[in-house]
Amino acid sequence: MSQQGYVATPPYSQAQPGMGGYPAGFGSSPAQPLYGHYGGQPQSFPAPPTGLMKPVSSPSGMPPSEVSSQYGSNIQQNGAHPQSVLTVVHTPPTYPAGPGPMQNPQAPPTSPPAQQPFQTAPPPTMGQSTLGPPPAGPHSPQMAPPQSPLAGPSMGGHPSMGGHPPMGGMGRPFPGPPPPGSGGFQQPGPGAFGGQMAGPFQGGAAHMSGPPQKKLDPDSIPSTTQVTEDDQAKRGGQVYTTNLRGQVPPLVTTDFTVQDQGNASPRFMRCTTYSFPCTADLAKQCQVPLGAIIKPFATVPKNETPLYVVNHGETGPIRCNRCKAYMCPYMQFIDGGRRYQCGFCNCVNEVPTFYFQHLDHMGRRVDLYERPELSLGSYEFEATLDYCKNNKPASPPAYIFMIDVSYANIKSGLVRLVCEELKTLLDNLPREDGAESSTVKVGFVTYNKILHFYNVKSALAQPQMMVVSDTAEMFVPLLDGFLVNFQESRAVINNLLDQIPDMFADTNESETVFAPVIQAGVEALKTAECSGKLFIFHSSIPTAEAPGKLKNRDDKKLINTEKEKTLFQPQKGVYEQLSKDCVSQGCSVDLFLFPSQYVDLATMGDVPTHTGGSIFKYSNFQVEMDGEHFLSDLRKDVEKAIGFDAIMRVRTSTGFRATNFFGAIHMNNTTDVEMAAVDCDKAVTVEFKHDDKLSEETGALMQCALLYTTVSGQRRLRIHNLSLNCSAQLSELYKSCETDALINFFAKSAYRAMLNQPLKTVREILVNQTAHMLACYRKNCSSPSAASQLILPDAMKVFPVYLNSLMKTGPLVGSAELSTDDRAHQRLIATAMGVEDTQLLLYPRLIPLHNMDVASDVVPAPVRCSEERLTDAGMFLLENGRSLFLWLGQACPPELVQRVFNVPSFTHLPADLSSLPVLDNPQSKKLRSIIDSLLDQRPSAMKLLIVKQKDRSEMLFRQHLVEDKGPHGGASYMDFLCYVHCEIRQVLT
């Protein structure tokens, strides 16, 4: 039987006009709304008659099924399921006998808190979020008064609610109809679900009706911190063995050890659900995207076994003759071991003589556990010449450092800083495990509007410079001595690095080129017949006369219009061709930008984003403030594990296939994912679609094969295999969902869609698809309950907080206060993020430090990401993988301030403090060790910003409190939950 969680009671009738700070609500569609698969050609449909809602079809872009099959009575309840319930009833607060609505059965009935009339402005933020009693101290500015109403008028009567839900989950109603249409990814005709819609999102005044509102206790709504704590308590510190098909791994936030026993570790592959629906119709009905997030080079912790390398000699890896899948645990040996049946396409293949082995009484090979490819989920094969370009062995890659020596970079001190750092950094170039030194070669270029190449051959006493001023026809002026081994040429290179800052010290040249710089790097690698990476240190928009010249096209007037998307579309032509040239040569580009104004990052970042590269941005760079942050990024970037000239293919068993790919990748055709380089932080998100039925017996199998060149110049194949369950019961799919993987998929889909569709449409699609996923669960998997209850599947109960946070991110929020380059940057870096990165970005960790136990090694448990959790006497650390803030309340105890900052009190703290002093006391040591451990875990360095309560800089910090209303627009979590509930009810009527 189904576990009902707990109940809450606001009533609703209409909802309010503009919800939670999104301009004009989520709804009010354009006269000719555009819909279609994310990224697909939008089609237009006639606007629906007012008051009718258009349903949404599946994300798969398949036409929607008829109403009856979409949510028809022909679907049986799919069995019991842990879920969360929160009720909303439409009555004045008269309590039934027994536990009151939205109360803990154990708690004494509470009297309703003070009432407050509905405000037309979006309601203030809500959320008391410690797990204990509310913090003391006066509310800080913009802090919600304790009786803040839920979103929407007519939401009266939520008696406060005690405690946390037993099995998370909740039910709760929501104001306002859904946005007209714009759904899943295609749109059926008007009125498929019929039903009148009241109110707000259509515009029109909303009136207060029903009893006045009461506060709904924010602790009663599902909490991300609680979910992560519970998972850590239940599965933390354990060994996760991968021997079962379709098992759901621990959350990315949980510490666990993986033992590979036939399926790839979740560090390499995670799925949106570990139980695929058997048919396309079921997939269309539930609208849960079927996807995998693959991080082929993920870092394996020291206490886990590194990947084995298998060498089959001249013959190369054994593969299925028909579908070309590589030998793996899903191959079934038959006929006494002489043949095997492929698990992917069922083709029966002969076993090569050298590979023959007898079977035991269970039909398994006797050497099963001696061969990684038969017993493990992940392993590598040494590739033969057939897998190399032009059938020639690969060469070790090269790293080329390309420094913009224009006026801005010389004046800021950046050029000197880079040159000094490279002298020591080049000792740490990546190398094979066990190798004494790196075989990666290095080269150096400086440039402004012309390029300077340097000959640093070890035989020379002095480096030699060669200048290329014709940037239209780029070539490399020297063959020998440009790419060298650092150890051999160390003296000449150090000599060069000493000279560069002085050589250009008096420059007045402020114009730069950009595309020719990348072109030069590609030509150099072509000449040397190797792959590699360009590290470009660049300051300004390239305005010099040369290919790839850009002009300022930043136009704030386009924000919130149909044309806003053009701000994020890269300029076509030169850069598009450059990306292709880079990928075919295995040349990855990492761009370090130091802009003081607009640089058209959408275009400049296009090549890095398609070549497996990274983009780092340091606005208004100052050596003393930002130098250490930049150098940490550079060190991580140069030293990290990486493969070059890679091509990846994802094969699947019959019945479904990979149809869509998101990442820092290039696609020449529909199946081959090409990456000039792939490092330990880059992930590719893959979407799957049915092309036939799947069977519960055989499940769904996938194999990711990545062919690449190692840092020592070997060609290898890295294989990751994963087997999932299949079910005709939707409850199995919902039970096996992984919220963190789902939100990664939604973020990448939305960020791609915003290139082709207005932001408003993209946001509507997100909400609509969420409402459909949750409505389908409600209809088919939960036990019957009042329409006023919001019922969420246990595995997805915090999905709404992540989705709301995604819609408040810079790229999707549409605010003229945000810089276009910053929005473009966030959009591009998210493209290649793995599950743990998007999880942290969309729900930052807010760690209370004022009461930490200095004797313990443990980092204090994070609290909910809301202003209500801050206390005037507190000190909090907030991090999201990109930014790091230390927030201090005005009443922070002087002794704590003294011990951490070495000043007597809060008022003595200087305004521009950007680092912590190194002090010899337990509090200082503990805080610095917490920060160091966070910096160590994250892919990019984070600059510490120290924020004093009520300071100007607090605005930056506040935009990361994702449960509150967004400073640039966007609803609070509480309001958004209400809104989603309304959408769900709309879908169900």
Side-chain angles (χ1 to χ4, degrees):
M1 79 165 239
S2 208
Q3 287 169 268
Q4 297 291 63
Y6 53 104
V7 252
T9 53
Y12 297 94
S13 55
Q14 310 127 303
Q16 77 191 48
M19 157 80 243
Y22 284 115
F26 295 82
S28 55
S29 69
Q32 284 286 89
L34 295 173
Y35 309 110
H37 191 289
Y38 265 155
Q41 282 307 102
Q43 312 128 256
S44 66
F45 290 86
T50 328
L52 287 180
M53 145 128 195
K54 295 162 135 196
V56 174
S57 95
S58 70
S60 56
M62 300 176 181
S65 47
E66 290 305 306
V67 185
S68 65
S69 68
Q70 184 110 7
Y71 295 107
S73 51
N74 55 346
I75 307 280
Q76 290 306 305
Q77 285 234 352
N78 269 329
H81 205 55
Q83 63 193 33
S84 288
V85 198
L86 202 53
T87 319
V88 193
V89 286
H90 194 56
T91 49
T94 51
Y95 297 110
M102 242 187 122
Q103 280 184 310
N104 229 339
Q106 290 78 27
T110 46
S111 58
Q115 300 170 351
Q116 179 175 332
F118 170 64
Q119 308 145 356
T120 8
T125 54
M126 289 219 43
Q128 199 61 16
S129 155
T130 18
L131 298 164
H139 283 283
S140 48
Q142 304 133 23
M143 204 145 162
Q147 343 67 306
S148 113
L150 261 182
S154 67
M155 291 192 50
H158 338 263
S160 178
M161 174 172 188
H164 258 280
M167 286 290 292
M170 45 161 305
R172 125 152 348 146
F174 292 57
S182 87
F185 300 67
Q186 255 187 332
Q187 199 59 27
F193 293 102
Q196 272 307 111
M197 299 180 13
F201 302 99
Q202 308 293 76
H207 302 288
M208 176 74 182
S209 72
Q213 295 103 304
K214 313 218 166 41
K215 182 184 175 190
L216 176 59
D217 175 6
D219 275 343
S220 65
I221 59 180
S223 151
T224 301
T225 49
Q226 192 59 51
V227 167
T228 52
E229 266 177 51
D230 292 349
D231 197 69
Q232 176 65 37
K234 193 164 102 195
R235 309 183 73 175
Q238 299 186 0
V239 175
Y240 172 75
T241 52
T242 69
N243 53 349
L244 295 177
R245 184 176 85 190
Q247 65 176 333
V248 183
L251 298 180
V252 283
T253 45
T254 299
D255 294 316
F256 59 100
T257 305
V258 180
Q259 190 173 20
D260 185 343
Q261 293 192 356
N263 284 294
S265 156
R267 305 193 199 290
F268 297 121
M269 290 175 92
R270 282 183 176 268
C271 295
T272 54
T273 174
Y274 294 84
S275 181
F276 276 15
C278 283
T279 63
D281 283 347
L282 279 175
K284 187 195 306 180
Q285 188 184 333
C286 70
Q287 296 222 6
V288 174
L290 307 178
I293 295 90
I294 304 172
K295 210 183 207 183
F297 266 79
T299 308
V300 176
K302 290 190 169 52
N303 60 346
E304 292 177 20
T305 320
L307 268 52
Y308 288 99
V309 182
V310 178
N311 186 354
H312 285 327
E314 301 280 298
T315 52
I318 295 173
R319 307 175 66 177
C320 168
N321 292 328
R322 186 196 287 161
C323 71
K324 303 293 181 221
Y326 293 86
M327 181 53 69
C328 70
Y330 315 141
M331 305 298 190
Q332 183 65 47
F333 287 86
I334 52 175
D335 199 7
R338 284 186 287 279
R339 298 192 298 166
Y340 67 92
Q341 183 170 20
C342 174
F344 296 92
C345 69
N346 298 324
C347 171
V348 173
N349 298 272
E350 298 291 326
V351 174
T353 321
F354 82 90
Y355 200 67
F356 172 78
Q357 184 54 271
H358 295 285
L359 307 184
D360 64 13
H361 64 289
M362 303 276 289
R364 292 179 312 192
R365 285 176 55 121
V366 186
D367 63 352
L368 180 72
Y369 294 108
E370 292 156 34
R371 292 194 176 271
E373 73 276 20
L374 299 180
S375 54
L376 298 179
S378 301
Y379 42 87
E380 294 199 315
F381 288 117
E382 286 201 12
T384 54
L385 285 181
D386 300 343
Y387 293 88
C388 300
K389 266 192 187 148
N390 310 325
N391 289 5
K392 291 203 317 218
S395 312
Y399 281 7
I400 305 177
F401 297 88
M402 312 182 99
I403 306 169
D404 159 4
V405 289
S406 64
Y407 178 74
N409 276 356
I410 293 289
K411 188 171 127 261
S412 73
L414 174 76
V415 174
R416 191 171 294 282
L417 186 70
V418 172
C419 292
E420 278 306 310
E421 177 63 27
L422 287 178
K423 293 181 194 169
T424 52
L425 182 56
L426 295 180
D427 275 322
N428 302 334
L429 290 168
R431 53 172 176 248
E432 287 287 319
D433 289 339
E436 279 188 22
S437 63
S438 174
T439 51
V440 175
K441 292 199 158 74
V442 293
F444 302 88
V445 173
T446 54
Y447 67 94
N448 35 49
K449 50 186 220 201
I450 58 178
L451 277 76
H452 324 104
F453 294 80
Y454 296 94
N455 182 347
V456 283
K457 207 156 77 174
S458 56
L460 296 173
Q462 281 284 339
Q464 296 170 347
M465 178 205 272
M466 300 192 176
V467 178
V468 176
S469 49
D470 179 6
T471 50
E473 294 291 323
M474 204 59 223
F475 69 98
V476 178
L478 71 163
L479 287 177
D480 193 23
F482 177 61
L483 294 177
V484 298
N485 178 302
F486 173 64
Q487 302 302 342
E488 291 167 13
S489 295
R490 181 191 292 270
V492 193
I493 289 172
N494 284 348
N495 192 335
L496 169 69
L497 294 171
D498 284 336
Q499 288 182 38
I500 287 174
D502 300 333
M503 235 182 316
F504 299 99
D506 303 326
T507 186
N508 291 320
E509 186 54 75
S510 59
E511 284 196 315
T512 57
V513 295
F514 183 61
V517 180
I518 299 176
Q519 192 66 55
V522 176
E523 293 300 327
L525 296 178
K526 230 179 236 171
T527 310
E529 296 187 346
C530 69
S531 52
K533 181 173 275 236
L534 314 181
F535 295 81
I536 303 180
F537 305 91
H538 190 92
S539 63
S540 56
I541 190 164
T543 51
E545 279 308 323
K549 173 184 176 178
L550 296 174
K551 57 181 189 295
N552 187 336
R553 58 188 183 116
D554 189 17
D555 184 357
K556 295 283 191 226
K557 290 196 294 295
L558 298 183
I559 287 174
N560 289 319
T561 69
E562 287 282 315
K563 289 191 171 162
E564 181 172 6
K565 56 184 182 240
T566 58
L567 296 173
F568 302 102
Q569 295 165 352
Q571 299 294 291
K572 292 276 188 263
V574 175
Y575 290 100
E576 205 174 12
Q577 188 52 49
L578 260 182
S579 292
K580 290 179 183 161
D581 295 348
C582 284
V583 170
S584 68
Q585 188 51 49
C587 169
S588 176
V589 178
D590 279 356
L591 178 58
F592 292 81
L593 271 175
F594 305 87
S596 53
Q597 55 205 35
Y598 175 79
V599 291
D600 192 358
L601 200 141
T603 302
M604 293 189 73
D606 194 47
V607 176
T609 311
H610 282 99
T611 56
S614 306
I615 307 163
F616 302 89
K617 179 168 178 282
Y618 312 89
S619 302
N620 304 312
F621 178 82
Q622 294 173 290
V623 169
E624 37 306 322
M625 300 288 286
D626 309 288
E628 204 36 60
H629 177 206
F630 155 63
L631 292 178
S632 304
D633 274 335
L634 178 60
R635 288 171 197 140
K636 281 190 178 210
D637 198 41
V638 168
E639 296 167 15
K640 67 178 153 194
I642 188 167
F644 290 92
D645 201 7
I647 186 160
M648 180 174 107
R649 183 169 285 191
V650 179
R651 293 181 172 83
T652 55
S653 51
T654 49
F656 74 116
R657 63 199 164 87
T659 55
N660 216 342
F661 300 88
F662 305 87
I665 57 175
H666 175 74
M667 306 269 319
N668 252 337
N669 55 37
T670 54
T671 52
D672 294 331
V673 179
E674 297 184 59
M675 294 171 278
V678 54
D679 64 48
C680 55
D681 301 320
K682 299 287 184 295
V684 178
T685 298
V686 185
E687 182 177 14
F688 299 102
K689 297 273 165 67
H690 286 76
D691 48 18
D692 203 349
K693 284 192 172 139
L694 296 171
S695 108
E696 299 198 3
E697 253 165 75
T698 52
L701 311 178
M702 53 186 79
Q703 181 179 79
C704 161
L706 180 86
L707 174 65
Y708 73 99
T709 302
T710 67
V711 287
S712 62
Q714 275 191 321
R715 209 68 179 138
R716 284 212 192 138
L717 280 149
R718 180 169 283 220
I719 312 292
H720 297 300
N721 303 289
L722 190 61
S723 61
L724 306 180
N725 287 334
C726 296
S727 176
Q729 304 292 319
L730 284 174
S731 58
E732 286 302 314
L733 174 141
Y734 283 102
K735 209 185 292 181
S736 307
C737 274
E738 184 178 316
T739 288
D740 299 331
L742 272 171
I743 201 64
N744 176 285
F745 182 91
F746 273 83
K748 292 187 183 185
S749 313
Y751 284 171
R752 179 182 292 176
M754 62 184 277
L755 293 180
N756 305 309
Q757 303 188 48
L759 286 186
K760 188 155 151 285
T761 309
V762 175
R763 291 195 299 258
E764 286 169 1
I765 290 173
L766 287 170
V767 175
N768 243 302
Q769 194 176 345
T770 302
H772 273 266
M773 294 193 306
L774 298 175
C776 176
Y777 173 79
R778 166 91 189 225
K779 177 90 181 173
N780 301 302
C781 312
S782 72
S783 28
S785 54
S788 58
Q789 290 188 328
L790 169 58
I791 297 186
L792 301 173
D794 199 56
M796 288 168 78
K797 67 186 175 200
V798 290
F799 184 73
V801 75
Y802 285 113
L803 189 84
N804 187 39
S805 175
L806 169 62
M807 297 204 300
K808 292 189 284 190
T809 55
L812 291 179
V813 87
S815 160
E817 293 166 32
L818 298 169
S819 101
T820 304
D821 276 342
D822 282 346
R823 294 173 69 199
H825 185 221
Q826 191 173 345
R827 194 190 144 263
L828 293 175
I829 55 178
T831 316
M833 279 188 173
V835 177
E836 52 284 18
D837 305 328
T838 46
Q839 187 276 331
L840 190 61
L841 184 72
L842 296 173
Y843 201 93
R845 292 171 66 181
L846 181 62
I847 302 170
L849 300 171
H850 41 279
N851 44 16
M852 60 185 174
D853 174 4
V854 288
S856 147
D857 288 341
V858 183
V859 175
V863 295
R864 295 179 76 146
C865 223
S866 161
E867 176 175 57
E868 300 263 336
R869 300 297 162 191
L870 303 176
T871 58
D872 288 8
M875 180 191 288
F876 291 83
L877 194 64
L878 183 144
E879 65 117 5
N880 69 351
R882 313 290 313 171
S883 312
L884 183 63
F885 297 92
L886 183 60
W887 181 91
L888 296 161
Q890 288 173 311
C892 197
E895 57 276 15
L896 182 60
V897 176
Q898 175 72 53
R899 284 170 165 264
V900 172
F901 297 99
N902 208 17
V903 296
S905 72
F906 178 88
T907 44
H908 289 80
L909 281 167
D912 55 351
L913 200 59
S914 63
S915 61
L916 292 175
V918 177
L919 303 172
D920 188 12
N921 68 61
Q923 280 81 358
S924 174
K925 285 178 180 165
K926 172 80 176 170
L927 177 53
R928 285 181 289 112
S929 87
I930 289 175
I931 290 174
D932 289 345
S933 77
L934 292 179
L935 290 175
D936 198 40
Q937 293 164 31
R938 307 293 170 235
S940 55
M942 296 182 281
K943 176 182 164 187
L944 179 67
L945 289 173
I946 295 165
V947 175
K948 294 163 71 177
Q949 187 178 2
K950 296 204 164 103
D951 240 13
R952 261 207 351 253
S953 58
E954 210 185 12
M955 177 73 163
L956 276 173
F957 167 77
R958 279 178 185 284
Q959 66 191 23
H960 297 293
L961 298 175
V962 297
E963 291 200 11
D964 300 340
K965 246 174 51 201
H968 304 294
S972 71
Y973 174 28
M974 185 82 82
D975 293 353
F976 181 70
L977 217 39
C978 294
Y979 178 60
V980 169
H981 190 193
C982 246
E983 296 285 278
I984 293 170
R985 294 175 69 173
Q986 214 55 45
V987 172
L988 291 174
T989 45

